[in-house]
Structures are given as C-alpha cells and as structure tokens.
Amino acid sequence: MIVTGLGSWSPLIFLLCFATISIIVFFIRCLGEKECIKEKEKTVLFFSGNPPPIENRATNIYWGFFEAMGRYYRRMKRIHSGVVNDYVYWFVFVVVVIMCVVIFL
Amino acid sequence: MMEHAPALAIAIPLFAAFAVSLIGKIGKRIRNMWVILSLILTELLVIYLNYEILTNGIHTYALGAALPSLISPGGFPVRIILEIDAVNALVSFIVISITLAAVVYCWRFMQAISKDREHIDRFYSLLLLFTAGMIGMSFTGDFFTLFVFLELTSVSSAALVSFFRDGESFEAAFKYMIISAIGALFLLLGIGILYSQYGLLNMAAIAKEIMLHMSFLDKVSLSLIVSAILLKIGPVPLHMWKVDIYQKLPAPLVAVCITSSLVGIYVLSRILFSVFFVMGSLSGWIIIILGVLSIFVGVTMSLLQKNLKRMMAYAAIAEIGYVMLGIGTGLAAASKDFGFIALSGGILHTLNDALNMGLLFLITGAIFYATKKTDIRDLGGLAHRSASLSALFIIGMLAVSGLPPFNGFVSKLMIYESVFCLNPLLAVVGILGSILMLAIFAKVFVSVFLGTPYRRKFKKMPASMMAVMWIIALFILFLGMFPEMAINNLVTPAADALINHEAYMGGVI
C-alpha cells in the first residue's frame, strides 16, 4: 500500500476488483443479443443519424476535436515553423521572462 | 580499486568510444561485444555506487588528488570533484540501463539500416561518448565540468542526428548544433558570473556563499543557467528542436536521448534544490508553468501527427511535463508533506518515462525494421503479422497513459494528488493530458495494428530486438505491481537527497 498524498494505492486490491467486475460484465454480456451485426453495418459511420460530412479513416478519428480546436491548431502550426531562427527567438524570450520573474518578483 | 568507481564509470565508456574504431577493424562481432562489455562494466560500477550510497551516504571523489577523498585541502574545494548521492546515482543507473538495452537492440537493427561498417563504428563511438557525457553530467559537482560534459553530449548527439546522411538529417543536426551552441554560451556566461563573484566553480561551495547572501548577479546567473538547462531538457516553448532530431535519429537512439533529457532534469533539480535553494518557491512555479504547458501542447500536437516518430516525440515532451510538474511542486512546497510526495512522484516518473517512452520508441524502430515505414497512413493490420509486437505496444500504451495497474499510474497518481493540494487546476490539466495521451496511442493502435492484415513486405524481427523490448515490458509490469520496492529503495532516498541541501554541501565543505 502506497500513500499518494490524499489517498493510497494497492495494485493487488485493484486487480481483485478488476477481476470481479470483469466477471460481472462477462455475465451481463452473455445475457445480450446472440446474433451478430452484419459485417457491412459494423463499418458504417454513425454521425448523430446524419450522413457523415467527410470520409473518415482510422487516422482521422479525432476529426471533430480538430474542428473544434481549429483556431488553436492554426496558431500552433504557425508557431511550429521549423525555422531555426524561431527556435532561437523562443529561447531568448524564455531567458527574458525568467530573468524578469527572478529579478523583479 | 572500487574507491575509483565514480571516475571509472565515466572513463570506461570514454575509452571504449575511442577504441571502437580500432576494434571495428578486427570484425563487427568483436566490436559489438566490446561496446556491450564496456556498458556492462559501467552498469556494474553504477550498481555498486548505488549500493554504496544507500549504505554509507554521499560519495565524493577528487580527480587528480593524491587521495580521492582529499576534497577540500584547507577548507577550499579544488580540482574536479564528483559528488554522488542517491539522486544522481539513480539517474546514472537509468541512463546506463537504457543505453545498454538500446545497444543490444542495435546489434541487428543497425545491420539492417546500414551496410557500411565504418559508419556503424562511428555510430557506436559517438553513442559511447554521449553516454560518458551523460554520466559525467550526473556525477559532476562543479559547474565548469558540467559545461564540458554538456558540450560532449551536444556534439556527439548532433553527429548522431546526421546518421542517415540525407538532407533532412543534416538540417536537423545543423539546427541542433546552433541551439546547443547558444544554450552552452548562456550556460558559460552564467557560470562566468558566479566565478567572477566567488572565485569558485564547485556547486556546494557556491551554495554556501549564496545561502549567506543572494546578490543581483546571482539572480542573473540563475536565470541564464536555468534557461540553458531548460533548452537541453526541451519543455514547451523550447521543444521544437527535439521533434526534429527525434524524427531523424535511429529509433533505439531516441530511447537514449530521452534519458539525456532526464539527466537535464536532474541537473536542473540539483541547481535549484542544492545551489539556489533560496529561490525555491519562485523557481518551482516557473518549472510548474513550463511543465503544464509541455503537457498540454505535447499531447495536443501529438494527436495531430501522422509520422510515428514525431507523434512519439510530442508525447515524450508531454511526459517530461509531468516530471517537471512533480519536481516544480516539490520545489514550490518543499517544506510541506505534499511537496515531498510530488517530488517523489516526479522522480519515480523519471524512471517510468525512460521505460515507457523507451519501449514505445523501440516498438517504432521495430515497425520501421519490419516495414521500412513510419507514416501511420501507410501502415495497418500489423497485429496479424506480429501479435507479440501488438502486445508490447498495448503494455507501452497503457503504461504511458497512466492506466492502472501499470507503472505510469503510480507516479502520475502521486503527482496529481499532491499537485491538487497546491492548485487543483494543475491536477485537472495533468489528468486531461493523460486522457489525451490515451487517445493518441489508441489512434496509433487502431491505425497501425488493427484492420485488414498487412499485405506488403514484412521483415521478421530478430530475437535480440524482441527480447530487449520484452525485458523492458516486464520491468514496466513489475514496477506497476510492486511500486513500493522502487519508492522505498530508490525514490525516497533520492527525494531526501534533493531536499536536504545541507547534506550535499556537507559532502564537500
């Protein structure tokens, strides 16, 4: 048992609980539908009942997240220019900020 | 003989590095044995040092003195002094273990990616120099030797980055050379300011002077030194060079490079805890903010990547953020119980990060070895070709995402709970980062391992590469199931050594 600040942690107790819950889940699963969904239906995208706006692949599974965070990502792409001058600029920026904080605070 | 263990732990890889090119002329098998033998010897010395320090306390060693214990004749520290306590002994153990694993992995891996024997000789030579530099950085007790070893790691790693000898590799190496040179100049300037004031280079002796009175110039020096070391560690916004070089380095070498960032974190902790401890709270908050930024930007940028190595590089930056969050909280709340737990969590996460990210980079290397591809859009269905590699990836993925009962969970739990006491918002960002980390690797797993079977050319992976990855995976599982062994025997003594700056000073003065 490890003290972690506000609580404690024991991997053995976790595994015991995990095994118990897994058995219950397996039991519930056995009560479910016996017939399998047809192969074709398995791969159809579900987009709140509407036709999906893009052809989605596994590499693009977080399309919605990127759309919602569009402004952040556009800014981040601009910052990550790959130009070494920018890398040096950020270093100088950090030096100045740390120096101001350490000297004036 | 064993009293010289600290010096030998640096000298053996250094000597082996210069001898590799000569031994390589005899044959590649003998050269490989030579490299592995030198690293095993170094590992044994480091294990001995760990044992001795846990039994007898801090070990100091004066290079060039008539007696290695002749540290401060007349109360004034002269010569190059190595000072090893529980923290740097642990860090050097991590460095040498991961390097040894990477070299065994490289045995067959390097043959597959380069047929030029002399090219591989140079690779091993530079890798050993890099290792000697990292161990030197961990062991040194004075600022100038720190600068020398930092330069040694920078020059050797810049040469390693250009291993593939193509345009992008040379560009990444060039960028890294510029960045390292600028960082080294700032470090040297900071050290020069300290030397001009006190006429000292020894960390413990300077700490004693600063404890009496912290001047304006000390603050300037602190800013310059900390910024330079941060550049070496690579938190956001100083991380951009890291992604470039991680993408161009051979995958097993990235695992070694991760330990170099961890050595940087150790050096930063040593300077802030043991030398400039007067500024503990303020510098702690600087580290916390950079850590939180690294977590958030690291995971969100990783999610966007299509190249496996770039994706892992950003994930590695986020992982460094967790270590910094723990250590920063330890600094900001050094006098409180939760501060100590945060520091312990940060130190434990150092070990976990080296294992988890190391394993994931080795898996990336194995995928490259088998398919010659690193873009996830070109991969898919690899689980049908190598179930063992998929199992390894699942272990690495769950461990790095901090899911129970893997090792990453314990260290992250210690960090979250203690950081929560400092500011709940920090814990929220940390947990969000973990969730996104799982999302990143779930995407990789679905894209690379699931789907219809991989039909293109798939080279069978050699047993040595698989064995190395499985050994690391077993360590991950072991640390997850029995974390108290690492915490009681390695982490708590290391956290004690960092907090107790008077003991560090007492080792020299």
Side-chain angles (χ1 to χ4, degrees):
Chain A
M1 189 80 81
I2 298 164
V3 178
T4 53
L6 297 174
S8 58
W9 164 249
S10 165
L12 295 174
I13 295 173
F14 168 80
L15 281 181
L16 210 65
C17 297
F18 185 77
T20 314
I21 293 168
S22 300
I23 291 165
I24 296 168
V25 168
F26 182 73
F27 177 72
I28 295 169
R29 187 183 178 278
C30 290
L31 298 175
E33 188 68 51
K34 292 284 183 287
E35 281 182 27
C36 188
I37 305 166
K38 283 179 196 165
E39 275 301 313
K40 200 176 173 186
E41 282 176 33
K42 268 185 185 173
T43 57
V44 174
L45 273 177
F46 180 75
F47 195 74
S48 305
N50 301 313
I54 54 157
E55 191 193 335
N56 224 335
R57 295 182 58 188
T59 49
N60 201 18
I61 52 175
Y62 303 123
W63 168 81
F65 180 79
F66 296 133
E67 282 293 304
M69 301 275 284
R71 275 182 66 188
Y72 166 78
Y73 275 114
R74 277 192 292 279
R75 198 171 181 80
M76 277 293 136
K77 279 182 183 169
R78 207 165 51 238
I79 290 170
H80 291 82
S81 61
V83 180
V84 74
N85 305 35
D86 292 349
Y87 299 2
V88 176
Y89 159 77
W90 279 108
F91 175 62
V92 173
F93 174 78
V94 169
V95 173
V96 171
V97 170
I98 290 180
M99 205 173 269
C100 290
V101 169
V102 168
I103 292 171
F104 299 115
L105 288 185
Chain B
M1 177 69 178
M2 292 314 278
E3 64 180 341
H4 300 292
L8 287 173
I10 301 169
I12 288 173
L14 206 56
F15 171 70
F18 291 111
V20 160
S21 297
L22 277 176
I23 291 169
K25 300 251 180 266
I26 305 170
K28 60 185 179 189
R29 191 176 286 268
I30 294 175
R31 174 204 60 203
N32 291 352
M33 292 298 289
W34 169 258
V35 175
I36 290 174
L37 189 70
S38 64
L39 288 173
I40 289 174
L41 269 177
T42 316
E43 172 100 59
L44 290 174
L45 285 169
V46 168
I47 290 171
Y48 165 76
L49 279 170
N50 268 279
Y51 172 75
E52 204 213 67
I53 287 153
L54 292 175
T55 320
N56 302 325
I58 293 176
H59 186 113
T60 43
Y61 185 94
L63 279 169
L67 289 170
S69 55
L70 206 62
I71 305 294
S72 309
F76 190 81
V78 287
R79 302 188 183 92
I80 294 169
I81 294 168
L82 306 177
E83 189 168 1
I84 304 121
D85 59 10
V87 204
N88 46 10
L90 173 63
V91 169
S92 57
F93 174 68
I94 296 170
V95 167
I96 198 71
S97 305
I98 295 291
T99 310
L100 184 58
V103 165
V104 175
Y105 180 98
C106 281
W107 190 306
R108 294 289 299 278
F109 181 84
M110 296 312 286
Q111 283 175 21
I113 61 171
S114 175
K115 300 289 174 213
D116 183 349
R117 187 184 52 77
E118 281 189 12
H119 190 43
I120 299 183
D121 286 353
R122 281 195 288 272
F123 167 81
Y124 281 122
S125 185
L126 290 165
L127 178 58
L128 286 167
L129 276 179
F130 188 46
T131 311
M134 285 193 288
I135 296 177
M137 274 174 74
S138 315
F139 283 0
T140 185
D142 78 81
F143 275 114
F144 191 75
T145 318
L146 172 71
F147 168 75
V148 172
F149 283 121
L150 185 90
E151 279 293 271
L152 182 62
T153 58
S154 300
V155 172
S156 51
S157 51
L160 284 166
V161 175
S162 57
F163 176 82
F164 286 109
R165 298 195 232 183
D166 56 26
E168 283 187 12
S169 301
F170 288 135
E171 187 192 331
F174 175 70
K175 284 178 189 172
Y176 183 62
M177 282 292 280
I178 290 179
I179 289 293
S180 320
I182 290 171
L185 280 174
F186 275 74
L187 178 68
L188 196 59
L189 186 60
I191 294 169
I193 292 171
L194 286 176
Y195 186 71
S196 67
Q197 286 195 93
Y198 305 115
L200 290 165
L201 288 168
N202 185 273
M203 290 185 196
I206 291 173
K208 192 183 164 205
E209 297 293 332
I210 289 173
M211 191 171 70
L212 298 173
H213 172 65
M214 176 113 182
S215 67
F216 172 78
L217 282 176
D218 288 336
K219 289 181 180 176
V220 174
S221 167
L222 168 69
S223 316
L224 294 172
I225 293 173
V226 165
S227 307
I229 302 294
L230 282 172
L231 190 65
K232 183 80 186 162
I233 299 166
V236 173
L238 305 172
H239 63 291
M240 295 163 195
W241 62 270
K242 248 175 137 173
V243 185
D244 292 338
I245 75 155
Y246 281 15
Q247 189 185 354
K248 293 318 295 179
L249 276 170
L253 209 60
V254 185
V256 181
C257 266
I258 287 170
T259 63
S260 134
S261 292
L262 300 177
V263 170
I265 288 188
Y266 155 70
V267 172
L268 182 72
S269 312
R270 174 60 76 208
I271 289 168
L272 294 177
F273 276 99
S274 304
V275 183
F276 291 96
F277 51 85
V278 185
M279 301 291 286
S281 178
L282 190 63
S283 48
W285 273 104
I286 293 172
I287 306 300
I288 289 170
I289 291 166
L290 291 174
V292 168
L293 268 176
S294 302
I295 294 171
F296 188 76
V297 176
V299 287
T300 49
M301 287 304 289
S302 179
L303 211 54
L304 195 66
Q305 305 304 316
K306 301 282 186 276
N307 182 293
L308 264 177
K309 277 178 159 178
R310 282 188 88 83
M311 186 179 275
M312 302 270 183
Y314 277 112
I317 290 163
E319 283 294 293
I320 289 287
Y322 284 103
V323 178
M324 291 179 71
L325 185 58
I327 288 175
T329 308
L331 261 171
S335 57
K336 301 196 171 109
D337 283 348
F338 72 82
F340 187 79
I341 293 172
L343 180 61
S344 304
I347 294 170
L348 182 59
H349 203 67
T350 308
L351 176 61
N352 292 340
D353 180 32
L355 289 172
N356 302 345
M357 285 313 302
L359 175 64
L360 286 167
F361 270 110
L362 293 185
I363 293 170
T364 310
I367 292 171
F368 178 73
Y369 178 90
T371 64
K372 292 276 175 271
K373 294 186 193 316
T374 53
D375 192 316
I376 56 172
R377 289 167 296 188
D378 298 334
L379 295 161
L382 291 190
H384 296 275
R385 306 300 297 267
S386 177
S388 181
L389 198 63
S390 319
L392 283 165
F393 188 84
I394 291 171
I395 293 172
M397 171 176 90
L398 299 178
V400 84
S401 309
L403 285 184
F406 294 92
N407 59 346
F409 174 76
V410 185
S411 48
K412 283 187 178 173
L413 184 68
M414 287 168 82
I415 294 170
Y416 297 152
E417 290 198 359
S418 42
V419 158
F420 183 85
C421 298
L422 188 71
N423 188 326
L425 198 62
L426 299 173
V428 171
V429 178
I431 294 168
L432 181 72
S434 266
I435 295 166
L436 286 174
M437 190 76 85
L438 185 62
I440 296 162
F441 288 103
K443 171 181 159 180
V444 177
F445 186 69
V446 171
S447 310
V448 176
F449 289 95
L450 300 186
T452 51
Y454 188 74
R455 301 277 179 216
R456 281 175 265 181
K457 193 181 166 196
F458 188 86
K459 197 172 170 185
K460 193 173 180 296
M461 274 161 280
S464 60
M465 281 168 63
M466 293 306 288
V468 168
M469 289 188 283
W470 272 112
I471 289 170
I472 295 178
L474 289 177
F475 267 110
I476 288 173
L477 292 171
F478 180 80
L479 276 176
M481 291 307 296
F482 307 102
E484 65 279 358
M485 284 184 74
I487 291 172
N488 295 339
N489 298 315
L490 297 171
V491 175
T492 306
D496 270 329
L498 271 182
I499 292 272
N500 192 354
H501 56 262
E502 282 175 1
Y504 185 79
M505 284 195 288
V508 172
I509 309 294

